[in-house]
Amino acid sequence: MTSADPAFLPGLELSRILYEEAVRPLLDDAFPGLSHAAARVGTGSEVLGFDTARSADHEWGPRLELFLAPDEAARYGPRLHQLLAERLPKDVRGWPTHFRRQDDPLDPVGHMELTDGPVDHRVSVQDVGGWLTLETGADPTAGEPTVLDWLAMPQQKLAEVTGGAVFHDGPGTLTAARRRLAWYPDQVWRHLLACQWQRISQQEAFVGRCAEVGDDLGSAVVAGRLVRDLMRLCLLLERRYAPYGKWLGSAFGRLDVAEGLLPSLRSALTAAGYPERERALCEAYETVATLQNDSGLAEPVDPACRSYHRRPFQVLHAERFARALAATVTDPELRGRPLTGSVDQWADSTDLLNLTGPVRAATRALG
């Protein structure tokens, strides 16, 4: 693409146009009556609603996921791919449907460009259960996810499979699966909230201890980690899946609590020294603690900060909130688990979180 790029459209709108004006007519002509679902789900900033004109520089454009029954996906998939390669329009609203493949290992992503020949398109054909198993390690089309399923699914993946848009769903299977994954079951939610408070309790005293030995950089780094954990906690409280780092701040900014909490979080990150950093963090702790109490999920806990035992550091003692929430968890599979939580509460390597098999094995071992 060049400086003469067409006007930016949100990716979900571009995908809707691709389906309604190009893909659906071809399906109706070549495979009349073929039951299918069409959606824009999975990876991509547009699925989370965060795409901008910058997104068009790689793997963004007229993209679509088609879902068929498993036997029909195997039967018709290659034929559909070829049909679309030969008959899709070369562009949609000025955006090419052809994606140039890259041979450079440092730049392996697809880039839109016009072509005179068949288009290397981004319309996939798969079955819902197989796709969800590949993405999350579980198949909610076969029944309700288990506790292990929920704990082994990264929130980024849950956001990808429940976000985006469904443009058509003849069988209804995709819509039903997305509904099942829309949010955690109540008992899992309470457990994850307890685990998030426990994470905060493990670090909150280190902001002061680092500063006390002259390590202001270390103090600031710990504060940054605590700010991140508070943001993810707020997303949990407002029943929103937390995306990975690139979009965490954007997702947090959409929360009801964001406007009131942002000043103290920014101050904690930009403070010139420990006293200011501690004050800002305490303001943030108390705001989120009050939010937790107001949720009614557990017995209220005093939200005021206090000294860390006999040391001169002000903390929330967030483990108090973890214990209060853990006391409300009655599911036998969760009551006996350590407060480590779901996979992305104890690991944040993108490469690891994409390995569903090892993630499920590690999650099972923690129980």
Side-chain angles (χ1 to χ4, degrees), residues 16 18 48 61 89 97 130 139 142 196 202 209 212 244 271 274 326 357:
R16 182 191 63 78
L18 173 69
L48 303 182
T97 55
D139 179 7
Q196 194 66 15
Q202 295 164 355
R209 183 61 174 142
E212 188 179 56
Y244 71 138
Y274 167 64

Side-chain angles (χ1 to χ4, degrees), residues 1-46:
M1 304 299 289
T2 69
S3 58
D5 288 349
F8 175 75
L9 282 174
L12 292 182
E13 175 66 9
L14 194 58
S15 294
R16 182 191 63 78
I17 295 169
L18 173 69
Y19 173 67
E20 293 180 354
E21 298 185 5
V23 174
R24 181 62 186 266
L26 290 176
L27 289 177
D28 290 343
D29 179 57
F31 302 97
L34 181 63
S35 183
H36 68 280
R40 180 67 194 97
V41 289
T43 59
S45 55
E46 66 269 32

Side-chain angles (χ1 to χ4, degrees), residues 1 8 10-12 14-15 40-47 51-65 95-104 107-113 120-124 244 246:
M1 304 299 289
F8 175 75
L12 292 182
L14 194 58
S15 294
R40 180 67 194 97
V41 289
T43 59
S45 55
E46 66 269 32
V47 172
D51 56 325
T52 67
R54 175 66 67 192
S55 306
D57 63 5
H58 74 285
E59 292 296 355
W60 179 99
R63 299 179 60 185
L64 189 71
E65 286 73 46
W95 295 99
T97 55
H98 176 76
F99 285 74
R100 182 184 74 250
R101 293 186 182 272
Q102 297 291 100
D103 296 325
D104 182 355
D107 186 24
V109 295
H111 302 268
M112 290 175 290
E113 70 175 15
D120 191 348
H121 56 79
R122 289 295 185 271
V123 181
S124 66
Y244 71 138
K246 178 166 65 171

